[in-house]
Amino acid sequence: MSEKEYKFNPQTLAYEPVECPPRLRRYRTARRVLLLFIAAATLNLVVSMTYYTPKLSRLEQRGEQLTKEFEVLGERIAASDYKIDQMRQRDNNVYRSLFGADTLSIAGTYTPYPASTYEAYTDDYGGIVRSAWMALDAQSRLLYRQSRSLDELQIFSKDKEKMAASIPAIWPINKKDLRGPIGAYGRRLHPIYKRYIQHKGIDFGGRKGDPIYATGNGVVVHSEKGLRRKGYGQMLVIDHGFGYKTRYAHLSERIAKVGQEVKRGELIGYMGSTGGSTGPHLHYEVIYMGQNVDPINYFRRDMSEAELDRIIEQAKTTTFETLEGTANE
Ligand SMILES: [Zn+2]
């Protein structure tokens, strides 16, 4: 480019071209380029802040679309959660109780994963991605429990009929013989000793000599006379198989003998007040896999839900036994 500068000459009174030094020319060119670049950058900035560039619009559309897709996914997860929950309720309330199985409990499958598991999802869409993951993880835990439950029920069902006849499922006394409220199972404040004790069974008050029945098919595995004023007194234990045993205590007489096979409803002894007892009653225990469980849950076959509710409502602190009678063993 031809750069010419003019300078006023006082002698000739005219402007005369002066040759510009090349260094200055290069400097000026560079400055012009720089200014042009700054102007272009500023313009770009202003435009991109005011208007979306085509690329940005595309990204935003994609973001909106993804958000919608995640919402749909969330709805699908919620819908299958509902279905699984219905399945779980049916499993618990119908199938498991049909087989007399307790509610399935698998340690560790109820606690959600710690929040740190989902820390990675922190950007704009982090929230929806995180909640989708959390819902899916909860669902897989639920499905795992259900599948374990079905495995268990499958085993039960193989021996279903035998099991149905064996599991304790009726009252050990005639319902009409019951006198007063039932002494409830569980941790109770003892009325006389004012101490908390674990009551391992339930107490049915009645009269001496009331018949006592086996609550399920099984074999008598234990029979003892017991002590006079302590413990269970005259007592029988029946092994029903499938992990179940039942205990009948404070009897006045034992009819069934050790080794004898008994059927549900068969007379095995008579009510009494032997051992640590303050009056004629039957102390009845249901033991599942070595653990005492609440026998109330094993009367279903004999009672309507309303009846059962009333019994539970009326169950009271035991007043039939001395401290030794229940705290020991
Ligand atoms: Zn008792």
Side-chain angles (χ1 to χ4, degrees):
M1 57 174 82
S2 69
E3 282 276 336
K4 278 200 175 140
E5 291 225 334
Y6 295 86
K7 203 177 176 186
F8 188 68
N9 188 341
Q11 261 91 58
T12 59
L13 297 176
Y15 285 96
E16 291 171 357
V18 185
E19 210 45 47
C20 198
R23 261 184 64 193
L24 185 64
R25 245 193 351 246
R26 277 202 302 276
Y27 163 72
R28 285 189 178 152
T29 311
R31 192 178 59 181
R32 204 171 295 152
V33 168
L34 189 67
L35 280 174
L36 208 67
F37 181 76
I38 290 172
T42 312
L43 187 70
N44 181 44
L45 189 68
V46 169
V47 168
S48 66
M49 277 167 73
T50 318
Y51 308 99
Y52 275 171
T53 61
K55 193 178 174 186
L56 258 181
S57 313
R58 274 202 309 279
L59 277 176
E60 200 191 51
Q61 271 178 14
R62 182 79 190 120
E64 276 171 13
Q65 198 187 335
L66 278 175
T67 309
K68 282 201 188 90
E69 279 169 19
F70 262 98
E71 277 167 13
V72 173
L73 187 66
E75 280 162 22
R76 291 281 292 275
I77 295 172
S80 38
D81 264 347
Y82 177 73
K83 275 185 201 151
I84 296 171
D85 191 56
Q86 282 194 321
M87 201 170 85
R88 186 187 62 79
Q89 284 189 17
R90 210 166 47 226
D91 182 40
N92 257 346
N93 300 337
V94 182
Y95 305 126
R96 292 191 75 81
S97 64
L98 193 69
F99 292 115
D102 285 334
T103 305
L104 187 69
S105 166
I106 304 168
T109 60
Y110 298 91
T111 332
Y113 298 131
S116 58
T117 314
Y118 310 99
E119 254 168 15
Y121 310 107
T122 48
D123 63 7
D124 286 356
Y125 301 107
I128 47 172
V129 179
R130 198 163 48 231
S131 58
W133 268 117
M134 286 167 93
L136 278 173
D137 286 343
Q139 201 170 76
S140 67
R141 283 192 295 274
L142 195 64
L143 280 173
Y144 173 70
R145 285 204 294 275
Q146 271 324 111
S147 68
R148 286 283 300 271
S149 177
L150 290 176
D151 288 350
E152 231 177 66
L153 291 181
Q154 195 191 7
I155 294 164
F156 288 154
S157 68
K158 282 183 183 156
D159 240 343
K160 180 173 162 276
E161 274 177 32
K162 186 166 183 245
M163 188 171 176
S166 302
I167 287 174
I170 60 165
W171 280 53
I173 63 165
N174 283 320
K175 264 193 266 181
K176 61 174 177 48
D177 287 345
L178 181 70
R179 293 163 70 83
I182 283 179
Y185 169 88
R187 200 163 172 269
R188 293 274 148 173
L189 184 64
H190 195 279
I192 300 163
Y193 296 93
K194 304 287 178 211
R195 255 175 60 186
Y196 279 100
I197 53 154
Q198 183 66 26
H199 191 220
K200 290 177 168 181
I202 60 178
D203 296 331
F204 299 91
R207 289 188 182 89
K208 189 179 172 192
D210 284 347
I212 306 295
Y213 306 108
T215 53
N217 295 359
V219 179
V220 178
V221 289
H222 196 81
S223 169
E224 70 172 50
K225 192 161 181 280
L227 300 167
R228 266 178 71 83
R229 291 198 172 77
K230 276 176 83 172
Y232 289 120
Q234 287 203 46
M235 179 256 285
L236 288 170
V237 176
I238 296 174
D239 188 341
H240 302 277
F242 305 97
Y244 284 97
K245 284 181 182 171
T246 49
R247 188 197 304 276
Y248 311 77
H250 309 296
L251 307 178
S252 60
E253 197 181 332
R254 289 158 288 154
I255 303 291
K257 306 277 179 271
V258 170
Q260 184 182 333
E261 277 190 30
V262 291
K263 295 266 175 246
R264 175 179 292 148
E266 188 174 325
L267 179 76
I268 54 167
Y270 293 104
M271 188 180 285
S273 188
T274 54
S277 168
T278 57
H281 79 286
L282 172 73
H283 171 92
Y284 173 65
E285 290 178 20
V286 176
I287 301 147
Y288 179 61
M289 300 287 186
Q291 301 271 324
N292 282 78
V293 292
D294 192 341
I296 283 279
N297 295 324
Y298 294 88
F299 295 148
R300 295 252 153 88
R301 192 154 308 183
D302 245 11
M303 301 173 87
S304 69
E305 288 294 321
E307 238 182 322
L308 193 66
D309 284 348
R310 203 172 56 242
I311 288 289
I312 292 170
E313 180 75 19
Q314 287 173 352
K316 280 191 181 160
T317 304
T318 172
T319 52
F320 294 110
E321 288 151 4
T322 58
L323 192 56
E324 292 84 0
T326 48
N328 288 350
E329 253 249 6

